[in-house]
């Protein structure tokens, strides 16, 4: 079984601490995605798991065995990079079989493994071509095939789709998801693209500056982000954050509500349902509202004027502004009649709004 276990893993380059104490538990067969902004340490963490980088401290186990000092070739992993790194002078077949041949695996066995991987990836008609005669997507598939033939316990992918155009990226994303279902192996996948993370992952690990901010399923992170960083990173367009101050509490029909006066909206106070402990009056908070949670039947409102419209066909994004100049992004399915300069009620469902404290940590409503 190929569980991957990280305990207080740290990685420094000289005196620069890049990975700053990561604890992570990955189950056999899980599809785990590391996501975060560029430079947050995703590749470094993946390379530390692969053995391409030593870890500075902490412990790494794969399949229960401590791997800290085990050679990359003996960790039971295979890595697929953004740059496909195919050998230009070799055919697809030779590229895919190279590592096995190099390791002294008998020719018939190499052939069988390469054929089987080619079948899974639909590469059979291309086996005698050289990389230069392949499209970007086909090259990426060969790079994946080269990993499959090694029959690894764990696949490591580092932004494998970043060099592909948008359409091909969607196509390859579906292929990688299918591959995971077919192979049932553990996959650790790095991307800075939250859509890729949301669509592929069983479990997303959100990283910021070498620290894990939150781990959870895509919808757990979307519905219940632990802080403004995760809330802002997951979901597109980004969640709106409104600064404000708690002005009072009220009980209405058995529901406790917290009143928040928002900065930049004329004398506007919104009322959010909360259970459990209320933030005290005067607490500075930030209210998070996703663009898609605005709709005409909402019980709270944020009056705005439309600055700009983006009509995508199926939905419209309205970029609007409050009287005090606060930007609000509103998503609507029904935006064809909207006009720039138009005033909107900005109705949203108060029960879906999230509350955060000044440091960005979530104020939970149901403790
Ligand atoms: N070999 C290295 N030497 C020094 N600093 C490095 C090295 N590799 C990565 N870094 C630094 O570590 C940080 C994280 O890099 P990386 O893991 O590549 O980020 P990501 O993949 O999330 O974009 C960056 O600031 C980068 O400059
Ligand atoms: Mg990277």
């Amino acid at each position: 079984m190929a569980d991957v276990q990280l305990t207080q893993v740290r990685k420094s380059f000289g005196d620069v601490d890049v990975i700053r104490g990561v604890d992570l538990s990955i189950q056999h067969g899980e599809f785990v995605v590391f996501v975060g902004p560029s430079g947050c340490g995703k590749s470094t963490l993946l390379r530390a798991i692969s053995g391409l980088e030593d870890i500075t401290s902490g412990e790494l186990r794969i399949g229960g065995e401590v791997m800290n000092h085990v050679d990359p070739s003996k960790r039971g992993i295979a890595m697929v990079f953004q740059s496909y790194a195919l050998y230009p002078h070799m055919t697809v077949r030779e590229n895919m079989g190279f590592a096995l041949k190099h390791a002294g695996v008998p020719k018939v066995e190499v052939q069988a493994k390469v054929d089987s991987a080619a079948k899974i990836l639909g590469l059979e008609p291309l086996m005698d071509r050289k990389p230069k005669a392949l499209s970007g997507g086909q090259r990426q598939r060969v790079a994946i095939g080269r990993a499959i033939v090694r029959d690894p316990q764990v696949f490591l992918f580092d932004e494998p789709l970043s060099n592909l155009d948008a359409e091909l990226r969607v196509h390859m994303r579906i292929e990688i998801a299918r591959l995971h279902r077919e192979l049932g192996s553990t996959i650790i996948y790095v991307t800075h693209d939250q859509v890729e993370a949301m669509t592929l992952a069983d479990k997303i690990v959100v990283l910021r500056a070498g620290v894990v901010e939150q781990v959870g399923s895509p919808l757990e992170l979307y519905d219940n982000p632990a802080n403004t960083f995760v809330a802002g990173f997951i979901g597109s367009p980004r969640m709106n954050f409104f600064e404000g101050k708690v002005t009072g509490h009220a009980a209405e029909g058995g529901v406790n509500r917290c009143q928040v006066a928002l900065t930049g909206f004329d004398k506007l106070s919104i009322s959010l349902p909360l259970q459990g402990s209320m933030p005290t009056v005067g607490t500075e908070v930030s209210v998070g509202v996703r663009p898609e949670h605005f709709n005409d039947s909402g019980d709270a409102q944020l009056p705005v004027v439309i600055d700009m419209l983006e009509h995508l066909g199926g939905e419209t994004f309205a970029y609007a502004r409050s009287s005090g100049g606060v930007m609000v992004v509103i998503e609507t399915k029904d935006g064809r009649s909207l006009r720039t300069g138009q005033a909107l009620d900005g109705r949203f469902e108060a029960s879906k709004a999230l509350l955060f404290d000044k440091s960005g940590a979530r104020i939970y409503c149901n403790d």
Side-chain angles (χ1 to χ4, degrees):
M1 297 292 267
D3 299 9
V4 179
Q5 205 79 36
L6 281 72
T7 312
Q8 276 303 302
V9 167
R10 291 174 178 273
K11 173 69 188 174
S12 308
F13 294 105
D15 54 7
V16 182
D17 301 329
V18 174
I19 300 298
R20 301 185 294 149
V22 168
D23 290 310
L24 200 57
S25 182
I26 296 168
Q27 311 305 317
H28 175 78
E30 241 180 343
F31 197 132
V32 175
V33 177
F34 294 171
V35 73
S38 184
C40 69
K42 304 179 295 294
S43 294
T44 303
L45 190 57
L46 198 73
R47 290 167 62 84
I49 294 170
S50 75
L52 293 174
E53 300 283 359
D54 286 334
I55 63 179
T56 306
S57 66
E59 189 182 77
L60 166 71
R61 288 174 182 264
I62 300 176
E65 277 181 59
V66 178
M67 291 285 167
N68 287 32
H69 303 292
V70 173
D71 191 76
S73 65
K74 302 209 163 55
R75 293 188 183 197
I77 50 114
M79 194 148 168
V80 180
F81 300 93
Q82 176 180 344
S83 63
Y84 321 121
L86 301 178
Y87 298 110
H89 57 287
M90 291 185 196
T91 63
V92 168
R93 180 184 304 285
E94 288 161 348
N95 263 289
M96 283 169 64
F98 181 76
L100 296 182
K101 190 174 156 201
H102 189 71
V105 175
K107 210 169 168 185
V108 250
E109 205 174 307
V110 174
Q111 178 109 24
K113 288 200 160 152
V114 169
D115 286 347
S116 150
K119 191 157 175 235
I120 292 171
L121 293 163
L123 284 169
E124 287 151 311
L126 308 173
M127 296 308 278
D128 297 317
R129 291 202 194 169
K130 301 257 175 73
K132 69 173 187 304
L134 299 175
S135 70
Q138 290 166 338
R139 283 179 209 169
Q140 187 54 271
R141 236 176 285 160
V142 176
I144 294 171
R146 204 171 39 177
I148 292 178
V149 297
R150 298 178 53 199
D151 202 10
Q153 300 194 67
V154 184
F155 284 92
L156 306 178
F157 286 90
D158 194 352
E159 310 233 12
L161 308 185
S162 295
N163 286 345
L164 306 178
D165 65 44
E167 196 180 335
L168 197 51
R169 228 167 26 227
V170 173
H171 179 74
M172 286 302 291
R173 204 162 75 201
I174 293 166
E175 284 204 11
I176 289 175
R178 182 178 56 82
L179 192 68
H180 177 243
R181 265 203 316 278
E182 270 176 34
L183 300 176
S185 35
T186 310
I187 294 186
I188 308 177
Y189 187 106
V190 162
T191 180
H192 63 273
D193 178 348
Q194 59 94 19
V195 175
E196 234 169 81
M198 291 295 280
T199 51
L200 284 171
D202 294 317
K203 186 154 96 186
I204 296 179
V205 178
V206 181
L207 287 164
R208 170 166 62 165
V211 172
V212 173
E213 289 288 330
Q214 194 173 357
V215 178
S217 74
L219 291 181
E220 273 163 15
L221 297 195
Y222 178 87
D223 291 336
N224 261 318
N227 52 47
T228 48
F229 180 79
V230 175
F233 198 81
I234 303 287
S236 173
R238 197 169 176 269
M239 180 182 275
N240 295 287
F241 296 106
F242 306 114
E243 303 309 314
K245 212 175 237 182
V246 174
T247 54
H249 305 134
E252 284 170 27
V255 181
N256 291 324
R257 304 184 78 94
C258 171
Q259 257 104 36
V260 179
L262 297 183
T263 313
F265 290 85
D266 260 354
K267 300 193 198 86
L268 180 72
S269 166
I270 60 168
S271 164
L272 306 174
L274 279 188
Q275 292 159 20
S277 51
M278 291 274 180
T280 53
V281 170
T283 306
E284 289 182 42
V285 292
S286 153
V287 176
V289 183
R290 292 203 184 275
E292 58 273 33
H293 289 157
F294 285 90
N295 66 57
D296 291 340
S297 56
D299 53 346
Q301 63 185 84
L302 296 168
V304 286
V305 172
I306 299 175
D307 260 353
M308 199 190 77
L309 289 162
E310 278 180 357
H311 295 292
L312 301 187
E315 71 254 289
T316 296
F317 301 134
Y319 295 86
R321 199 179 287 272
S322 75
S323 56
V326 176
M327 285 285 299
V328 184
V329 184
I330 294 174
E331 179 177 341
T332 169
K333 288 273 168 233
D334 190 26
R336 286 170 195 260
S337 61
L338 297 178
R339 296 287 173 265
T340 306
Q342 184 179 336
L344 294 179
D345 283 350
R347 289 189 169 275
F348 68 96
E349 299 166 60
S351 63
K352 292 207 169 130
L354 305 180
L355 208 56
F356 301 92
D357 72 14
K358 218 182 156 202
S359 75
R362 178 82 177 278
I363 300 175
Y364 285 95
C365 307
N366 35 11
D367 50 358

